[in-house]
Amino acid sequence: MSYDVNDGDLVLCVNAAPNHVTGEPVPLVEGETYRIWGVWEFMCPCGRADALIDVGVGFAWCQSRFRLLPKPKSRKKVERKVSAPKPLEPVE
């Protein structure tokens, strides 16, 4: 698996299975999004990924546990019209 991820990208956790080396449970939540804090270009011991990702939970995780989310498209700001109160005519 090799897709370009950078610091600040959003990723979706798709695999919260126990650690594939030690068998211990992981603190990640499947279906939750995480922001990448750092990327290390090291081959994961499992051989499934060519990078380890730090998402601020635990240490570094295999890149195969995550899917890169698309970056949000920028939108033009819509100017909202401010409605002013209508002037009242005095009643005689």
Side-chain angles (χ1 to χ4, degrees):
M1 155 175 289
S2 65
Y3 52 84
D4 292 329
V5 291
N6 297 309
D7 297 349
D9 285 347
L10 288 176
V11 289
L12 176 69
C13 178
V14 294
N15 182 356
N19 187 311
H20 55 266
V21 177
T22 64
E24 296 176 7
V26 299
L28 300 171
V29 177
E30 189 171 345
E32 193 166 305
T33 58
Y34 295 93
R35 184 167 304 278
I36 296 177
W37 290 11
V39 179
W40 292 279
E41 299 295 329
F42 294 113
M43 182 68 93
C44 183
C46 71
R48 288 180 258 169
D50 55 2
L52 297 176
I53 298 175
D54 180 13
V55 293
V57 177
F59 185 60
W61 300 101
C62 180
Q63 186 179 6
S64 66
R65 289 187 182 267
F66 302 96
R67 294 295 175 264
L68 183 63
L69 292 174
K71 293 184 180 181
K73 295 181 181 179
S74 62
R75 297 186 217 164
K76 291 184 180 180
K77 285 190 174 182
V78 177
E79 290 186 30
R80 296 184 182 183
K81 295 181 181 178
V82 178
S83 60
K86 295 180 183 179
L88 298 176
E89 295 180 18
V91 177
E92 294 181 25

